[in-house]
Amino acid sequence: MENVILRDVGLRDGLQLVKSIVPTEQKIEWCRRVVAAGVPEVEITSLVPAKIAPQFADAEAVTAGTLSIPGYLPSALIPNGRGAERGFDLGIPKMNYVLSASEEHNLANIRRSTQASIDDFGRIVELRNEKAPKTILAAGIATAFGCTIQGEVPEARVFEIAGELVGLGADEIIVADTVGYANPAQMKRILTGVMKEVGDIPVLLHLHDTRGLGLANMAAALEVGVRRFDASIGGLGGCPFAPGASGNINLEDAAFLAEAMGFATGIDIEALVELQHTVAGWLPDERVTGQIAQSGLPKTFATHHRQAA
C-alpha cells in the first residue's frame, strides 16, 4: 500500500478565526492526541504578532509543550522574515511560508505584491542556511485555483511561482485552494502542471470544502500522484477573504477517503473521531463537520483493509 501523509492544521488554520481563546494546555493536549492517533505532521501554531492574531499569543508556550511530543513532525506558519527568525530561535523543524498567486489577495492579506513576497522568501532561505540549515522550508501558493477578490488566477502564473520558489530553495511546495473555488478537472490540470514544474520537490495540497468539493478534489489529486494533504479535525478553519467558507477538509473523512482508495495513512480514524468530540466541546460556538463522526465507519472497512494488506 502506498503511503499518504495527512497533516493536521487545526491548531493553526482551524483556530485562526476562532474568537474564543483556546487555553495553551488544551492546544498541547490536542497535539498529543492527534499524534497518538497516528497523524505524522501537525502545524502547531502561527508565528504572527499577537496583536494581529491573539489566538497565537502563546506560540512560544505551545511550541515548548509540543516539541517534546515524540513521533511526528511539528511545523508552524511564518508570515515573513521576522516570523522565520522566531521559528529558528524556537527550534521548530519545519516552517510554512505562504504567498498568494492572486495579486489582489496578496495585497489585501499582507499588503505587498506577490513578487515582493517571493523575494522575501529568498531572504528567508538565506537566513535558514545561515542560522538553521536543517530546518525544512515549505512554500505555499494560496489562491492557486481562483480568488474571491481577483476572480480568475492565470494557471501559468501558478506554475511560474512554483518554479521560482523551488529555484530559491523551497523544500516543499504547498498548493492551496484557499477560498474553495477548485473543481476536480481543474485540480488535475493545475497539479499536473505544478509537479512538472518542480520536479522531485514534494507537493502538498491544502484544500477548503467551501462548496462541498473538498474530498472530490482530494480524490482527483490522488489520481495524478499527490500524496500529501492538509486537513483539520472537524473541518475547522476558513479564510477571512472567503465569506461563508466552511473550513478545511475534515481530517477524519480525508483519512477514510485515502484508506478506502487503497492508500495507507497509519491513522486510527476512530481515535480522531473521539478527539473531534473533545474539540467540539472546547469550541461549542464553532461549526464542526464530518461524515465519519456522524455515520461511523462502514462494516466493510475492516474487510477492505485485510484484503489490501
Side-chain angles (χ1 to χ4, degrees):
M1 296 176 71
E2 196 174 354
N3 289 328
V4 163
I5 295 172
L6 294 176
R7 172 172 65 184
D8 181 24
V9 296
L11 283 169
R12 197 278 302 172
D13 196 336
L15 293 180
Q16 69 179 2
L17 297 182
V18 172
K19 293 180 180 178
S20 58
I21 303 299
V22 178
T24 303
E25 295 75 17
Q26 290 181 354
K27 293 176 181 176
I28 295 170
E29 180 185 344
W30 180 330
C31 184
R32 184 178 295 110
R33 287 178 61 180
V34 84
V35 171
V39 176
E41 184 174 341
V42 181
E43 193 172 46
I44 57 174
T45 193
S46 177
L47 299 176
V48 297
K51 64 180 180 181
I52 295 176
Q55 184 70 251
F56 305 117
D58 62 351
E60 279 76 8
V62 168
T63 298
T66 54
L67 288 187
S68 62
I69 299 170
Y72 82 113
L73 177 62
S75 63
L77 181 75
I78 52 171
N80 49 37
R82 290 188 297 277
E85 287 199 65
R86 284 178 70 193
F88 296 142
D89 291 340
L90 290 168
I92 300 172
K94 180 179 180 181
M95 286 184 281
N96 310 306
Y97 177 85
V98 180
L99 54 85
S100 296
S102 161
E103 286 288 339
E104 292 188 33
H105 187 274
N106 212 66
L107 287 167
N109 194 29
I110 52 178
R111 299 179 183 178
R112 60 184 174 187
S113 70
T114 297
Q115 190 58 53
S117 290
I118 294 171
D119 295 341
D120 190 35
F121 180 72
R123 291 187 287 271
I124 290 171
V125 172
E126 293 175 359
L127 186 64
R128 184 274 307 270
N129 294 343
E130 176 188 334
K131 293 192 66 172
K134 293 184 179 180
T135 303
I136 301 166
L137 281 180
I141 307 172
T143 62
F145 302 90
C147 173
T148 52
I149 305 171
Q150 179 175 308
E152 295 285 341
V153 174
E155 294 178 12
R157 180 57 174 150
V158 176
F159 306 151
E160 179 184 33
I161 292 170
E164 280 198 69
L165 292 170
V166 168
L168 289 170
D171 299 306
E172 178 182 79
I173 294 295
I174 304 167
V175 184
D177 183 20
T178 312
V179 295
Y181 270 20
N183 63 71
Q186 180 193 30
M187 184 65 55
K188 290 181 179 182
R189 189 171 64 248
I190 290 178
L191 289 175
T192 298
V194 168
M195 289 188 291
K196 181 179 179 181
E197 186 70 36
V198 305
D200 294 333
I201 299 297
V203 172
L204 181 148
L205 183 60
H206 181 97
L207 291 168
H208 285 231
D209 196 35
T210 312
R211 290 163 183 84
L213 291 180
L215 290 183
N217 287 330
M218 178 180 170
L222 286 167
E223 290 179 9
V224 297
V226 174
R227 298 292 181 263
R228 301 180 184 214
F229 299 88
D230 279 346
S232 71
I233 288 286
L236 290 167
C239 172
F241 298 96
S246 56
N248 297 275
I249 57 170
N250 179 285
L251 180 58
E252 309 90 89
D253 292 357
F256 172 70
L257 172 64
E259 297 274 353
M261 289 181 65
F263 296 96
T265 65
I267 289 173
D268 181 341
I269 297 173
E270 291 175 325
L272 288 185
V273 171
E274 291 179 9
L275 176 57
Q276 191 217 83
H277 295 324
T278 300
V279 171
W282 291 340
L283 300 169
D285 296 327
E286 300 301 318
R287 180 170 178 255
V288 175
T289 67
Q291 294 304 118
I292 295 302
Q294 178 177 312
S295 304
L297 293 168
K299 289 184 177 180
T300 55
F301 189 66
T303 303
H304 160 81
H305 268 54
R306 284 197 297 270
Q307 292 172 342

